[in-house]
Amino acid sequence: METGSALVVVDELYDFIDGGSLACGHSVEAVEYTKKLIEANPEIPALFVCDHHPADHSSFAEQGGPWPPHCVAGTRGGEVHDALKPYVVEELTFNKGCDAAVEQYSGFDGRNAAGQSLAEVLKTLDATCVYVVGIATEYCVYNTANDLKNAGFTVKVIEKGLGYVAEDGHIETLKKMREEGFTIL
Ligand code: VGL
Ligand code: ZN
């Protein structure tokens, strides 16, 4: 990873890793890969995007949404995996989906504790190239990567660091991203 780059880690949270009905494929491997990547690149900032829902979020089945309850603020399911916790920094952590009425798949909609967006903080870090890993390829990874690309960042998605809801959707999304001009490593 070169100078001027940053790593964005999307939703490597317990509910997407071992959370019953939302545990995602390749998520344990994605966490292991992410940890190695961070340790091998200590000079590259790691930014964490976190699904962070109220208990009555509109995306949950009980409210008519498509998902089982997940990543409820204050529960283990919404916490970053322990293997990555040593690298989590508050200013570089962006919560999204905090408003019950609004679904937010993109890390671009997240805010850190000081209210700053991912794009703002990437700019203050002088990052122009953003490596993306995380869960899930088809939803939050794709939407975050797409918004980064549209905002003018060079985006490199690392396949080994991805987890997915469904393998066919993951493969389809990678194909779509290649067609749309993303670099997939
Ligand atoms: C996600 C489903 C619901 C994701 C978040 O992180 O991809 N998927 N909320
Ligand atoms: Zn969610």
Side-chain angles (χ1 to χ4, degrees), residues 103-123:
E103 177 60 299
Q104 294 180 321
Y105 284 147
S106 174
F108 249 54
D109 296 323
R111 294 289 180 272
N112 69 9
Q116 296 171 297
S117 71
L118 188 63
E120 278 176 75
V121 173
L122 285 167
K123 280 180 192 131

Side-chain angles (χ1 to χ4, degrees), residues 10-11 16 51 53 67 70 96 103 105 135-136 139-141:
V10 178
D11 288 353
F16 295 122
D51 225 26
H53 296 313
W67 303 109
H70 62 276
K96 63 179 172 61
E103 177 60 299
Y105 284 147
I135 310 167
Y139 300 98
C140 293
V141 170

Side-chain angles (χ1 to χ4, degrees), residues 6-30:
L7 173 67
V8 170
V9 180
V10 178
D11 288 353
E12 295 200 9
L13 310 172
Y14 277 112
D15 272 338
F16 295 122
I17 298 163
D18 64 11
S21 49
L22 247 183
C24 290
H26 202 260
S27 55
V28 172
E29 294 87 344

Side-chain angles (χ1 to χ4, degrees), residues 70-93:
H70 62 276
C71 302
V72 172
T75 67
R76 175 184 175 276
E79 283 181 24
V80 173
H81 193 284
D82 276 344
L84 302 174
K85 277 216 185 104
Y87 311 108
V88 174
V89 174
E90 190 184 69
E91 307 86 79
L92 304 183
T93 301

